[in-house]
Amino acid sequence: MLKSSIYINGIGAVSPQGVGSGNVFSNSINAPQYEHGFISCIEPNYTDYITPNNIRRMSKLIKTSIVASKLALKDSTTEKPDAIITGTGMGCMEDTEKFLKGIVNDEGSPSSPTAFIHSTHNTISSQVAIALNCTGYNSTYVHRAASFESALADGIIQLQEKDSDTNNILVGGVDEITSTIYDITKKLNFWKKDNKENIPLYTSKTKGAISGEGMVYFSLSNKLAKESYAQISAVKILQKASSDTIADILYDFIKNNGLKVADIDLVVLGNNGDVRYDYYYKEIAKQFEENKITYFKELCGEYFTSSSFGLAFAATKLKSNRGKFRKAILYNQFHGMNHCFYLLSNVEV
Amino acid sequence: MRRVFVTGIGITSSIGFNVKESYGSLCTLHSGIGAIKLLDTKLKDKLPAGEVPATDTQLKERLNIKDKKTYSRTSLLALLAAKEAIDSAKIVPSEEQSPIGLINSTSVGGMDKGEVFYKNYINGESHNSLKNALVYDCGNSTECVADYIGLTGFTSTISTACSSSANAILYATKLIKSGMHEQMVAGGADALALYTINGFNSLMILSDEHCKPYDKQRKGLNLGEGAAYLVLESEEALMKSGKKPLAEIAGYGNACDAYHQTASSAEGLGAGIAMRKALATAGLEAKDISYINVHGTGTLNNDLSEGNAIAELFGTSVPPFSSTKPYTGHTLAAAGAIEAVFSILSLQNQVIFPNLNFKEQMPELDMAPVTTLKQGERLNHILSNSFGFGGNNTSLLFSAC
């Protein structure tokens, strides 16, 4: 259980469901199209957020991250955050590939540094800092499917530090998919072989998931506000766990937070339709009544920081069901690794 | 707030495969920078670098790795240093009651294997090297370290360019201070790669001579490779084991310059905030600092910006300072942890390692680095600076025990 209360006071998202704040997750949600094999984000109108010069120079991931961070701040009516922390599993793939291509073709020759500059993982957090003129704490986590959770865990410590003047922070989970990365990870058997049309993910019996992308930033605070979505009551991150013990881990997590399984009103699961690993979710689902369970990956696809989409999805459900849902659990894992549990509580504002 | 101590250190760089060799090189003014011999780059005759003098196969032999798994060079360097850190702290992961956590860091992770894969991929021959693609991401080297050492606690990976491992140490310190963990391993690793050498070359900040930080005639930085890790323990853990710590992590500060993606602001705004935060968290004043292990890359921009920030903070009484990058080259994500180990060696042995290659003072600054090995100093508190692209600035403060 967290030592003090942490609230989600704003959400900003660029996602396959659209660009915006909580509305992206609460509007009637559409099953996205994935004619290229993967689910892509709906891109924002960048001119509303970024100067024309930067729109030309920056890659999609940096631009969309800046948009999402600005939307989250606006949603929480915060002017400037005290810290910016980003989680990204793969970082800036578009620019990495661009620079790599130059090396393969002509190693050792002088080349333009633009793609290199924009390819480092921390460029996202620092470009957001430049866009917001924020000199506060700034960090980047790159830990596969626990990248976003790592960023969140760091943010929670910042907000809980005594005598610190950190009260409002931005924490984001961002990853982009490109045709090349999709193709390479498909060769690595990450994705379903034939995915030209929407498949019912949660009953799928085939190997692989559906690839996606998204950029979600949260404006977190140690103070409740009229904009608050929900309270983050606890987060648990495990590098590895066996499916035999996953239900016990869930029980301990709930018990250690002074609750019983019956107290949970909403369960959000990260099932991605990959028959090789979805049994972890089945073990968790078995512990709850079926009508409490909901899923999110058919809305955004699978990517290393997709749980940030899941967290926004769960928090928005709590906000729009104040009386109905009091406690929510979110559980996500990837390939049987990086198991993440969240306990969210509804708030009274 | 709880106090956090360093109980183990491990290091691998071009000046040594372990702490003992590294200390020997530091005291005999032996630099690891020279012609590139192992990395197959067309730049090898033009640009010197600090290469670890062992092939991947030789590194595996040192580590006694016999499995057929693909390891990135970054992972192999990380394993050597992390193993030494754990051994020197005399902690046995499986026997500890609360699991030991790991905060690793890297800037390009398994890029050395990623670029081999990508070349084959665009030539349509990727089926032979898919294993290389799997170790490309930054999280992979962390998983390798956790598996090899047997760490089962909280594990994560940071990437903030050249301040990565300083931030890993900072975060691990905070996890212990907050009471969430008792023992952590923290540090970072980066191997030389075509990607980084071509990247820094495209920025035109690599020197074709040995780097000379804080010198008027400085021409840029030399890249290096390596890894370093610290074992950090809470005061309570030390009371239980009765172990004598090597140093205390007394303060830390992280700030963002929020100025430019690759350049630091001329006045060193973020650098100044980071150093001030480190002093504030330690409850110390500028006059208490006995030595600064500066970031000092040897680029025109960094040394001016950092120098201005130091002048602003310390006024007319700037403490002795030096950059140890002329020994190792700039080891990117590993630099913060490598220089943390050097700072701890300075505290333990009461010695300041010189800023090699320095001749002429910068006209813009009223200060010059230490240029000879200074022994018998009284060093109590050392600041270690690590600044990264994107203005990711971190300053750590180590105190003698």
Side-chain angles (χ1 to χ4, degrees), chain B residues 12-16 25 30-33 49-53 224-226 327-329:
Chain B
T12 293
S13 78
S14 58
I15 62 164
S25 295
H30 168 75
S31 168
I33 294 168
E51 250 181 349
V52 172
E225 63 182 352
Y327 282 98
T328 57

Side-chain angles (χ1 to χ4, degrees), chain B residues 200-279:
Chain B
F200 280 85
N201 192 41
S202 75
L203 288 166
M204 295 190 280
I205 52 173
L206 293 180
S207 173
D208 55 2
E209 298 168 7
H210 283 223
C211 69
K212 32 189 164 190
Y214 282 90
D215 189 290
K216 185 185 172 191
Q217 308 295 341
R218 67 197 184 283
K219 292 175 74 180
L221 61 86
N222 305 133
L223 284 176
E225 63 182 352
Y229 292 84
L230 311 184
V231 175
L232 309 181
E233 299 194 57
S234 69
E235 202 172 359
E236 285 80 353
L238 284 191
M239 270 157 44
K240 236 186 260 175
S241 66
K243 204 183 293 171
K244 196 181 171 324
L246 308 175
E248 177 175 2
I249 302 190
Y252 46 82
N254 162 313
C256 186
D257 216 17
Y259 172 73
H260 186 271
Q261 184 45 33
T262 52
S264 307
S265 59
E267 74 280 13
L269 175 69
I273 302 174
M275 286 189 282
R276 276 175 215 279
K277 277 189 186 173
L279 286 171

